[in-house]
Amino acid sequence: MDTLYKRPLRAPFRAGPVTSGDQLLLRGLALLSALLLVVTILFPLYSMLAKSFHDASGLFIGLENFQRYFSEASLYRAVSNSFVIAGMATLISLLLAFLYGYGLTRTCMPFKPLFRVVSLIPLLAPSLLPAISLVYFFGNQGVAKELLMGHSIYGPIGIVLGLVIWVFPSALMILMTSLSMTDARLYEAASVLKAGPIRTFFTVTLPGVKYGLISAAFVVFTLTLTDFGVAKVIGGQYNVLATDLFKQVIGQQNFQMGAVVGLMLLLPAILAFFVDRYARRKQVAITGARAVPYSPKPHALRDRFFLLYCSLIGCLLIAMLGMAAYASFVTFWPYDQTLSLKNYQFDMMDGGGWAAFYNSLQMALLTAVFGTLFIFLTAYVSERCHGWRPVLNLIGGLTLLPMAVPGMVLGLAYIFFFNAPDNPLNGFYGGMTIMVISTIVHYYTVSHLTAVTAIKQMDPEIEAVGASLKVPQYRTFCRVSLPLCLPAVLDISTYLFSTAMTTISAVIFLYSPDTFLASIAMLHMEGAGDIAPSAAMAMVIVLTSTSVRLLHWLLTRRLSARLQRWKGA
Amino acid sequence: MSQAHSLDLFSDQLSEGPAVDGGAAQMHRTPSPPYLQVFDLVKKYGTFSALDGVSLAIAAGEFISFLGPSGCGKTTLLRAIAGLDFQTSGSLYQDGADISWLPPDQRDFGIVFQSYALFPNLTVAENIAYGLENQGTKKHQIAERVAGLLNNVGLPGAEKRFPGQLSGGQQQRVALARALAPSPNLLLLDEPLSALDARVRVHLRREIKALQHRLGITTIMVTHDQEEAMTMADRIVVMNQGRIEQIGTPREIYENPVSVFVAQFVGTINLLPFTPCGPDTVEVAGLKFRCPHSGRHKGTGGVLAIRPEDIECTDVHDHDANCIDVRVESSEFLGATMRLKLVQGPDLALIADVPIRALRGSDIRPGQAMRVRLDAERIRLFDEAGNC
Amino acid sequence: MKVSLAIPEKTGNKKYAAALLAALASLSASAEQAELTVYTALEANDLKKYADRFNEDHPDIKINWVRDSTGIITAKLLAEKENPRADVIWGLAGTSLLVLSDQGMLQPYAPVGVEKLAKGFRDANDPPAWTGMDAWVAALCVNRYEMEKNGLPVPKSWKDLLDPVYKGHVIMPNPASSGTGYLDVSSWLQLFGEDEGWKYMDGLHANISRYTHSGSKPCKLAATGETAIGVSYAYRAAKLKNQGAPLDVVVPEEGVGWELEASAIVKGTHNLDAAKKLMDWSVSLRANELYNEGYAVVALPGVAKPVAHFPPEVTERMIENDFSWAAANRARILEQWSSRYDAKSEAE
């Protein structure tokens, strides 16, 4: 063994690591992100929590607001109503989506891509749209009123139906992921062991998608529990939490009680969030990386059954959209069935007119641009910044939190925080900025996870190679990391754009007369009894979302051609 | 330092770099000042020590391999040398300068990762030129340099292709060219061959070694493959549990392992518990063996180690003290040798590699009786802790 | 000043563009534009018309509307009491303005020509805290086809609506959010007395299928046949009839509640001068002619001309309305109403 040489004396003494310029930049960005997330997520939620323990004059009164809430039957009845509605809607939509997803993943029926596209229809418009369609189908003048056998669509039946349609794509997407992840070898094993189809279903299929079902159930439950649009249009006299929250805050300007209702919505949502996270982790754990993808074999009877079933559901979804589209052109439903563009003269209605639509476009664009930029950069920083655990953990927690916060609660929290007279940021209140911020925050988690997945898929040593070649990290980011993540960036911006076009829940509390949005205009027109113009606005939104998704599809196709070249033939 | 390397480094390797004639042999004779020194490096993750006081010196132009099982700290050590992960304490000197706490972009090294980490969206030429563009090198010079490097790694004319269109071995060559492009004085290779299939691996081994020899660039390679380390490195640093077990030439490591761990990790070896009995004699499973050159240890007992090739076939006429009569339990044909599993009673089992030449004419069957001799010169003894 | 210039897309002439920009710059420099935040419960489809007419005379004042139902605008104003965002209120129920006036939130101002207004149409104080614009009157919107289909007799009075045959066929606005809803409730309490009035509402509640957020929605729902009878107001009924809705307008014979639409300056405004100009204009002849396009009864005597489809018997059936009573008791009445009937109320 060689003798070690004495420490050379000419070397300067250093106490600790010299942070590189790259890391300094990353840390600066991490700090900025953390700060912005704290201000836009944590502070508002805290303000809401605080508000629920104070009275109108700002005096701390402990649990008095809660006592009042639970002592008024008309208020707390909304809690049980909401849970009943959400529970039923969840059950039905899970069943329908499971069968639909099964058809798409486990059978050889034809037209699968078409059915996939059709299933996305409800995502193209605010949740008011299914409700409006239901009014045209089953309302007093509805074309299929008889089907309800004398029951009124205004009330629980209508809410559940509307919610089922609206959450169908969300349930389907989760279930399909889980259905397509099951290991084919389990089925081979089952058939070798001579298990019949029913036994196989209960011993292989169901356990395989168990966590997918749990995850879907809780996601859908939260969505249905906290949705406002459907209950607003078709709820009639049936009180639910979301509409109650609106009544308290906007109708009676009773912010303290609003905060209490907001907490009623927030708590189950947070619980559901943790169950969902747990289920997703389990799902990943039971499907190892070496699973063999299942590819179904033709089976005439089964395939025909699912073709029939999916066609039925598909037709219902198309009919939902088609009815609203048709009604939007009818001059005066039901008495003057001539077709005209009268209902598209939004400037003659409540709700901000065409300007609302242009506002929506503007907001969606700003959300997509700034949201993608911020979300992707934050995800990159949190993945690539070394050390600084507390700051990165804070970012990690805050990026997951928005998924557990219902939109209305977020909007309410924003009122409390940004409208406080002593908040230096209260200039944002009522402006476009705050709506853009709230929309980004509301849809943060999904976008963040998309970004993180893409970044994790990149070779973790790309930046290290860059550093060893003395290339600043921002350059490597622009030349390599960003181009590699472009598909994810496109996905995120499209997602943000289309959700911004259709969102109601958070912005309902934040718009001002100058910043009316198309979705809010729908709500107002419907509220003033102008249902057909509301349907017409929905059509404009649908057209916009569809165009954007089409554009996304075209871009992704071109991009994937390039990616294929990178990956090699 | 970077000025010392001109762009035509490859065409005129002999004129450049320190200790071009590299290799351990020269260094052993006249110790030149070490190029890289590591002093008492410690890296802790919570209570776990990934590096537990590592010190070593590397001469300019040497090819060093860090060898050890996964989790032994070899990659941690490499990343600390690169500045990719900072040590908890300890210091590093490169070419006389303290680099202990410098970020990677202020150090002088090129690195090749196990995954190659090629930029998939850039062409081969763009990948290799990546570190050059930043230095303000002129376009045509870059092109020349890229072509020269590609020639050197045996991929001439691959400039326009994308990494995804290349085989694993070809990608590895591009990664090597990219690391070498800015003429670093230290090349770090992190398990460079482990993602390749066996035949390509053997081929690339030789090529990398040759290239390193040609360039005279100080090189550190992390590997868990002892064969790779043995064939490529001038010296091997065997690591275990965050510590250096032994540093030495491949031959030293193989022939004189300082611990049971090294003996076991490098090559195959028989390990037999012994108790001492008298001078130069130990007892194993009731049998007495003579071992005059077995190292310092006698103590109260420990492990006797002998390589399979140091067990020779002999016959009844051999009355050497280290001869034992055994029975063949099973045999494996390895080409040049036959690997025999030999047993003597219930307590003694041995593996012996016997040259085919020595077995010509005799048929080896399970159950067959045999007489073998354990070469007394080649027996090593370790204490109960596994050390000399 | 409102400047809208369409710049030709392809001028191809830089000099022209530069001149245009220069002109634009000088225009915006010379015209100091005031902006007023105006809270209102006027019909949404009238807002543009109102602003345009006003801007014909005052092009230098830009109106930023904040519109919602009467109840919500009132609640909003009350909630913002410490930190008011509105400059002017133009078109809000008189009762609400009385409430605000009691809270000391209005800036008294006598607009030029206020003395010409009919007596009930301005605050009795001098200078008045608010001035009236027009009056809107309750009425029933009855869908001819739906009545026929369900074999319902056309109701003639409020009391007729208690008939169980109407169960589930009547929709009325929620008084907490809608000014029309409140004028109904306050008129019943005045017409029948408090005890009888609440008893009447208990009975009516049994027939009501839902309470809407807006005052015009019941009439619109009746117009589209979603309900047979909508308790709403005459102006909306007349307008929908104009559009071809199969509606009959019924003015109950006991008498109908009515409400003033009025305007006022919000105390603490930073644009007092502009606010005064708007108030001056709001009592002018031109303004009253504008009001008359939708309302049969306006503040300036002698202006009103008959409005198409407006039931002529309305004016004689308007009750003696005690606005100060309605304002003073608003909070109490609404609280009582909410605790009795809120479960049937529509969101908002």
Side-chain angles (χ1 to χ4, degrees), chain C residues 322-336:
Chain C
D322 186 348
F323 289 112
S324 49
W325 177 85
N329 293 289
R330 186 172 185 272
R332 177 181 63 87
I333 293 170
L334 289 183
E335 198 169 314
Q336 193 169 352

Side-chain angles (χ1 to χ4, degrees), chain B residues 26-283:
Chain B
Q26 192 197 43
M27 197 200 67
H28 273 261
R29 283 192 300 272
T30 49
S32 52
Y35 178 70
L36 187 80
Q37 282 168 284
V38 178
F39 290 105
D40 201 21
L41 219 56
V42 172
K43 173 73 179 180
K44 282 187 195 289
Y45 294 104
T47 54
F48 170 74
S49 295
L51 290 177
D52 193 5
V54 169
S55 298
L56 91 139
I58 296 169
E62 243 191 316
F63 193 129
I64 292 283
S65 175
F66 295 168
L67 175 68
S70 57
C72 72
K74 55 190 192 296
T75 298
T76 312
L77 180 56
L78 188 85
R79 291 180 72 88
I81 290 171
L84 294 171
D85 292 320
F86 282 117
Q87 63 277 16
T88 310
S89 66
S91 46
L92 289 158
Y93 292 85
Q94 184 175 5
D95 202 21
D98 185 351
I99 58 161
S100 311
W101 303 108
L102 289 183
D105 57 341
Q106 292 175 34
R107 299 188 187 195
D108 174 19
F109 69 95
I111 191 164
V112 175
F113 289 103
Q114 181 176 3
S115 61
Y116 324 135
L118 289 176
F119 307 137
N121 59 323
L122 304 185
T123 61
V124 166
E126 286 168 331
N127 261 286
I128 298 173
Y130 199 76
L132 299 172
E133 286 166 0
N134 215 39
Q135 300 176 335
T137 318
K138 292 211 174 63
K139 265 207 167 132
H140 68 98
Q141 283 177 316
I142 291 180
E144 274 172 38
R145 175 92 169 124
V146 167
L149 281 159
L150 278 175
N151 237 344
N152 246 297
V153 297
L155 278 176
E159 282 95 338
K160 294 260 155 57
R161 302 168 77 181
F162 281 97
Q165 298 165 322
L166 304 176
S167 72
Q170 290 172 322
Q171 289 186 31
Q172 187 60 279
R173 291 158 198 256
V174 175
L176 199 59
R178 182 180 64 181
L180 292 170
S183 312
N185 288 296
L186 176 62
L187 179 63
L188 305 177
L189 307 170
D190 184 8
E191 305 250 8
L193 303 174
S194 63
L196 301 172
D197 59 50
R199 275 180 50 182
V200 181
R201 196 156 32 181
V202 172
H203 185 66
L204 256 180
R205 237 188 241 165
R206 274 188 220 119
E207 280 197 39
I208 291 176
K209 176 68 190 166
L211 185 67
Q212 188 268 339
H213 194 77
R214 245 182 8 250
L215 300 178
I217 184 172
T218 315
T219 302
I220 300 173
M221 178 181 75
V222 161
T223 182
H224 63 269
D225 181 341
Q226 44 123 345
E227 201 179 310
E228 208 167 282
M230 303 281 258
T231 51
M232 293 173 80
D234 297 325
R235 284 194 300 154
I236 296 175
V237 177
V238 184
M239 296 183 65
N240 184 30
Q241 293 183 341
R243 291 172 173 281
I244 293 179
E245 290 274 337
Q246 188 171 8
I247 303 178
T249 62
R251 188 154 182 189
E252 280 166 2
I253 300 273
Y254 187 82
E255 293 187 342
N256 295 311
V258 297
S259 64
V260 171
F261 173 80
V262 176
Q264 227 176 350
F265 195 75
V266 179
T268 311
I269 201 158
N270 291 295
L271 295 170
L272 311 163
F274 74 86
T275 48
C277 65
D280 292 347
T281 311
V282 294
E283 190 184 309

Side-chain angles (χ1 to χ4, degrees), chain A residues 483 486 556-568, chain B residues 120 162:
Chain A
L486 217 51
T556 311
R557 235 176 48 145
R558 280 192 54 184
L559 208 61
S560 76
R562 203 159 62 150
L563 281 173
Q564 282 309 307
R565 197 163 53 127
W566 293 347
K567 281 178 190 150
Chain B
F162 281 97

